[in-house]
Amino acid sequence: MTTHARDKPAIQVAKPIALHAVVIVIGIFILLPILYGVLGGFKNNQQLSTNPIGLPDPWVPSNYTNVLASGDFWVQVWNSSFIALATTFITVGVSALAAFVFARFAFRGREFLFTVFAAGLMFPFAVAILPLFLLLRSFGLLNNPLGVILPQAAFGLSLTIIILRQFFRSIPGEIEEAATLDGCTPFGFFWRILLPMARPALATVSVLAIVGSWNNFFLPLVVFNDPGLWTLPVGVQQFQGQFSRDTARILAYVVLAMVPALAFYAVAERHLVGGLTTGATKG
């Protein structure tokens, strides 16, 4: 008994240390490429060849200032932001309504229909690109932001509905019954009670939708031929092709292209943690 009593605290101490060590190692592997890109953007090509890891000497801020002074960069930031926000609005709005029906209403064929939506997770986007391109062309949506927004929203429905349905089902039925007794309609219950309580889940699916849209490269590349409609991923690829020999300038462009997404994630993370804390307090 004494030996077990001594071993147990040792295990309890060693386990958090091991977990922290794993997290630190993973964090280092994530941060090193970012740090290399940030510092590489302050170098010239000669420094990248002779001193790829060390600090810039001298520092070359013109790589960043030239990109920031470019109108094309800001146009791509606007295009990516508009498409991501529009995609998220449609995806979360439609999915919330569908998840509410799947979670709170009983009707024949409900589980089969939900399974059809869930099966969308197993449908690769690359397989659909050719018929999707033909469909968009027939509707005149090539070189149109809707040609990217609508397919992204459609492909995002499956995961979003699954997440929101599970959260809506966790809301006690007594709350809905009390709202009904107070004269609240089903849509009123959804709008006034269910959605405010679902803020953590809505924040989660919104982050997933925005990040997925922001990082989407294949669909905007296929849909947009007009440089004025390019998103940042497409812009990075085109910039790399244009300045293929200027690696330092490419690194600066890539780093600046990441900044809006990182800034959004920092803000969204606060809202997500705040929503989770609020939900836990109310529970």
Side-chain angles (χ1 to χ4, degrees):
M1 294 293 294
T2 304
T3 303
H4 288 295
R6 292 176 180 176
D7 291 343
K8 189 175 181 180
I11 296 175
Q12 292 177 347
V13 172
K15 187 176 180 180
I17 294 176
L19 291 175
H20 280 81
V22 171
V23 171
I24 291 173
V25 171
I26 295 175
I28 290 174
F29 276 103
I30 294 174
L31 290 176
L32 279 180
I34 298 177
L35 183 62
Y36 175 82
V38 172
L39 294 178
F42 283 105
K43 299 178 181 180
N44 53 37
N45 292 323
Q46 183 179 359
Q47 291 184 57
L48 284 175
S49 300
T50 58
N51 185 25
I53 301 178
L55 294 175
D57 186 23
W59 291 73
V60 186
S62 60
N63 291 327
Y64 288 98
T65 56
N66 289 338
V67 174
L68 292 174
S70 171
D72 293 339
F73 174 78
W74 294 108
V75 169
Q76 292 162 15
V77 171
W78 162 253
N79 292 338
S80 292
S81 302
F82 172 73
I83 290 174
L85 291 175
T87 300
T88 302
F89 179 78
I90 296 174
T91 303
V92 176
V94 174
S95 297
L97 290 169
F100 173 62
V101 173
F102 283 131
R104 315 298 296 194
F105 290 89
F107 55 90
R108 181 175 297 179
R110 182 184 67 173
E111 295 303 321
F112 172 77
L113 189 58
F114 177 74
T115 303
V116 172
F117 275 99
L121 293 174
M122 300 181 291
F123 191 71
F125 177 78
V127 174
I129 192 63
L130 179 57
L132 182 60
F133 174 82
L134 298 176
L135 184 64
L136 293 175
R137 187 176 63 179
S138 65
F139 281 102
L141 292 179
L142 297 180
N143 276 326
N144 188 324
L146 287 176
V148 175
I149 294 171
L150 295 179
Q152 285 185 160
F155 276 91
L157 289 178
S158 298
L159 180 60
T160 309
I161 289 174
I162 291 174
I163 295 175
L164 292 181
R165 186 209 189 202
Q166 186 63 31
F167 191 91
F168 290 164
R169 292 183 70 177
S170 67
I171 304 299
E174 291 80 3
I175 297 178
E176 185 175 2
E177 293 175 1
T180 303
L181 291 176
D182 290 338
C184 192
T185 64
F187 182 78
F189 169 73
F190 168 77
W191 183 257
R192 298 177 183 177
I193 300 175
L194 201 59
L195 286 185
M197 295 182 68
R199 282 182 298 175
L202 293 175
T204 300
V205 295
S206 297
V207 170
L208 293 175
I210 289 181
V211 172
S213 173
W214 192 275
N215 292 331
N216 195 345
F217 167 74
F218 197 21
L219 184 59
L221 179 66
V222 171
V223 174
F224 296 143
N225 290 323
D226 183 1
L229 296 174
W230 285 347
T231 58
L232 271 176
V234 179
V236 169
Q237 190 267 344
Q238 297 295 334
F239 187 88
Q240 183 179 0
Q242 183 179 359
F243 299 95
S244 57
R245 296 184 180 181
D246 195 347
T247 307
R249 193 171 179 181
I250 293 173
L251 289 175
Y253 198 98
V254 172
V255 170
L256 290 174
M258 291 190 302
V259 170
L262 293 175
F264 161 76
Y265 181 78
V267 175
E269 184 185 21
R270 295 192 189 100
H271 286 288
L272 180 59
V273 174
L276 289 172
T277 304
T278 303
T281 304
K282 288 182 179 180

